[in-house]
Amino acid sequence: MRYELMHREIPAVTLEISSEDGKTYVERVSSVTAFEHLPIGTISPGSSKINPRRIENWLNERAIPKERSGLKRIIDFAGLPHPDRILLDSLGLSLSDQYWLRPAGSGIAWHDMNFFHNEFSADLGDVLLGEIDDAKGRMFVSPDASSTGMLPKRWIIREGKRLLMKGGKAPFFQEPENEVIASYAMESLGIRHVNYELTAVRGKPYSLCETFVDDKTDFVSAYYIADRCSDMPEDCRKRYDFLIGWCEKRGISGAMEALDRIIVIDFILFNTDRHFNNFGALRDADTLGWKGFSPIFDTGNCLWNDKATKDISPQEIGECKPFSEDFPKQLLCVSDFSWIDLQRLKDLPDEIAGIFRDGGRLSPKRVERIYSCLLWRVEFLENVIHERESIREKPGVRPGPRTW
Ligand SMILES: Nc1ncnc2c1ncn2[C@@H]1O[C@H](COP(=O)(O)OP(=O)(O)OP(=O)(O)O)[C@@H](O)[C@H]1O
Ligand SMILES: [Mg+2]
């Protein structure tokens, strides 16, 4: 089938697409109308060649990932069509950017279809979140079809605003509350962030946040900024420089400042999942000019979310992303700590423990352990700030572990 790959009202290329075994294939790019509007990551920078495989990868990575929590069961038991099929049915429209697929010759207008201005079906979200257990005869025109990430999630409309609703992971389902706490911590430290609130559906916690793009903006993840992370070095500092290099090449400003904040908040909160699709930059979809890094989102995989209470310990320094698995090593990539208000930093462990206690969702023992770990991490960070040079000389050396 022929589709135009659209950027708002602008057709970028016409594609011959086929779908088989849960995968979309781009057989051919049959015409090019606005090369510059092709999504970042589908073209090698500096090249004027179009490789259909790259567009195909981009399209497949836009669909609900097959590894999404619970998806296989939903496909098997509720009869949900494959993610690639749903993506095409929803014309690939998204609430994170302005790309979509227009059936060739249909003449459909972006204004009549996009999810920023038009309502969308709740059916897909209902099926994905288990509200409906039979997918037959449902309408799947929804931004949920282009929503990535592993956690169960759906988009909803509340008072005209588009909100992403995200669940948590068994057994603790801590992620939604963690998002709220991360919002609090970032607010406190003056870090630009997406604000999350907590809600519940049938007793299960969910986080809610508004889309951080408007109808003229694209979010482009670091994965695509860095050309799908191909040829990425192994070494932490080299990885960091690799991404900074890509930001410079593409003309994205403020990367170092943004990465400083990401690395610091992830260190404090023990966020273990800042992969290259969990941060990125914003681009004006009309002018194609960059608007700097996006506010920080998806910090919920933190605060020992998947650790058994007995295993929550400062001694377990933990593995991080995206530059190193080693939190202290990654902290050394930070270029400037002067923006951190040390008093606010010191106050965070008490405040975070207070939010958990008020929420009443975690056991007192769990909150106590998280609190001890936070104290340890804040103290560690303070030491790094004050004695940065000493740790630089002896990588791997950490302040002595606290006991409690
Ligand atoms: N507030 C938002 N506005 C617009 N797009 C968003 C927003 N939040 C998330 N996204 C987009 O949706 C994707 C999935 O969301 P998110 O990363 O929060 O889900 P997740 O399931 O927690 O992901 P992961 O698999 O990384 O844990 C993001 O990578 C981003 O592209
Ligand atoms: Mg994510």
Side-chain angles (χ1 to χ4, degrees):
M1 202 173 161
R2 279 174 68 217
Y3 284 92
E4 289 168 293
L5 175 52
M6 305 287 295
H7 198 200
R8 296 184 100 233
E9 302 286 14
I10 299 173
V13 289
T14 305
L15 307 171
E16 306 278 348
I17 286 179
S18 67
S19 222
E20 210 183 304
D21 296 332
K23 202 175 168 228
T24 295
Y25 296 91
V26 174
E27 307 287 354
R28 216 159 63 86
V29 177
S30 49
S31 67
V32 183
T33 29
F35 180 85
E36 67 284 7
H37 277 274
L38 276 167
I40 299 286
T42 58
I43 294 292
S44 307
S47 161
S48 56
K49 269 213 201 121
I50 295 181
N51 177 349
R53 288 296 79 70
R54 277 188 163 242
I55 301 180
E56 183 178 289
N57 288 335
W58 180 87
L59 269 178
N60 283 298
E61 286 159 0
R62 193 173 177 83
I64 301 172
K66 301 198 171 49
E67 306 77 25
R68 162 82 57 84
S69 171
L71 186 72
K72 193 175 170 336
R73 187 177 35 81
I74 296 168
I75 291 173
D76 290 350
F77 293 106
L80 187 73
H82 280 289
D84 64 314
R85 187 65 256 157
I86 309 171
L87 185 74
L88 292 180
D89 288 351
S90 294
L91 304 183
L93 286 156
S94 165
L95 283 167
S96 307
D97 66 29
Q98 312 306 327
Y99 293 101
W100 60 293
L101 290 164
R102 178 164 77 177
S106 69
I108 301 171
W110 178 82
H111 255 279
D112 297 331
M113 295 309 293
N114 77 80
F115 297 134
F116 291 87
H117 302 148
N118 300 287
E119 298 206 347
F120 44 85
S121 165
D123 287 359
L124 181 53
D126 282 345
V127 173
L128 289 171
L129 261 51
E131 297 290 304
I132 295 178
D133 56 14
D134 187 356
K136 276 182 218 81
R138 302 288 175 175
M139 273 272 292
F140 291 141
V141 179
S142 154
D144 299 331
S146 62
S147 183
T148 56
M150 297 306 152
L151 288 176
K153 60 174 71 60
R154 73 182 302 174
W155 286 94
I156 60 165
I157 302 176
R158 190 178 71 184
E159 293 163 6
K161 291 179 175 159
R162 273 59 182 159
L163 305 177
L164 181 62
M165 187 176 182
K166 271 200 326 178
K169 277 188 294 200
F172 300 109
F173 296 95
Q174 210 182 294
E175 294 77 8
E177 198 171 11
N178 285 356
E179 293 286 17
V180 177
I181 289 176
S183 302
Y184 176 88
M186 286 189 265
E187 183 69 30
S188 189
L189 295 177
I191 299 176
R192 205 159 67 91
H193 62 281
V194 173
N195 199 51
Y196 289 80
E197 61 179 89
L198 195 60
T199 189
V201 178
R202 295 183 205 287
K204 265 195 193 166
Y206 289 89
S207 65
L208 280 176
C209 67
E210 213 179 315
T211 177
F212 57 75
V213 302
D214 60 21
D215 62 350
K216 290 190 173 59
T217 308
D218 296 322
F219 168 68
V220 184
S221 74
Y223 173 72
Y224 290 111
I225 292 170
D227 203 31
R228 308 183 75 246
C229 294
S230 45
D231 302 325
M232 185 144 75
E234 277 298 312
D235 173 71
C236 173
R237 183 74 214 187
K238 285 187 181 148
R239 273 182 174 222
Y240 173 89
D241 291 341
F242 177 78
L243 180 60
I244 293 285
W246 273 108
C247 291
E248 280 168 4
K249 226 181 279 184
R250 298 204 186 268
I252 304 168
S253 58
M256 269 160 82
E257 291 81 355
L259 293 177
D260 281 358
R261 282 148 183 84
I262 288 172
I263 294 171
V264 165
I265 197 65
D266 287 349
F267 180 84
I268 298 170
L269 298 180
F270 192 74
N271 177 25
T272 54
D273 198 32
R274 187 70 65 197
H275 56 74
F276 280 79
N277 275 318
N278 271 345
F279 64 107
L282 300 174
R283 197 167 74 137
D284 186 308
D286 286 333
T287 65
L288 303 182
W290 290 98
K291 296 158 77 167
F293 268 59
S294 81
I296 298 179
F297 66 94
D298 196 8
T299 313
N301 234 30
C302 67
L303 295 166
W304 297 268
N305 58 318
D306 46 16
K307 286 263 170 282
T309 300
K310 67 175 174 44
D311 296 331
I312 298 177
S313 146
Q315 271 80 0
E316 206 245 306
I317 193 80
E319 288 188 1
C320 62
K321 293 173 186 159
F323 304 117
S324 172
E325 288 184 350
D326 185 289
F327 269 111
K329 215 184 220 176
Q330 187 162 279
L331 206 48
L332 292 181
C333 290
V334 171
S335 57
D336 175 25
F337 290 110
S338 66
W339 51 274
I340 300 175
D341 181 324
L342 291 178
Q343 189 52 50
R344 293 206 171 149
L345 177 65
K346 268 195 220 314
D347 290 342
L348 279 179
D350 274 308
E351 291 168 349
I352 290 173
I355 299 174
F356 274 134
R357 280 189 206 109
D358 291 349
R361 302 196 62 262
L362 303 190
S363 71
K365 183 80 203 157
R366 193 167 176 84
V367 177
E368 193 49 42
R369 290 202 161 220
I370 292 173
Y371 173 68
S372 301
C373 292
L374 283 171
L375 278 181
W376 191 92
R377 295 180 84 81
V378 162
E379 195 178 305
F380 187 102
L381 177 57
E382 284 175 315
N383 287 344
V384 171
I385 295 171
H386 291 130
E387 301 164 40
R388 185 184 177 125
E389 288 318 306
S390 70
I391 194 168
R392 212 187 254 291
E393 282 156 22
K394 301 179 201 162
V397 174
R398 299 155 189 172
R402 289 170 67 103
T403 47
W404 64 85

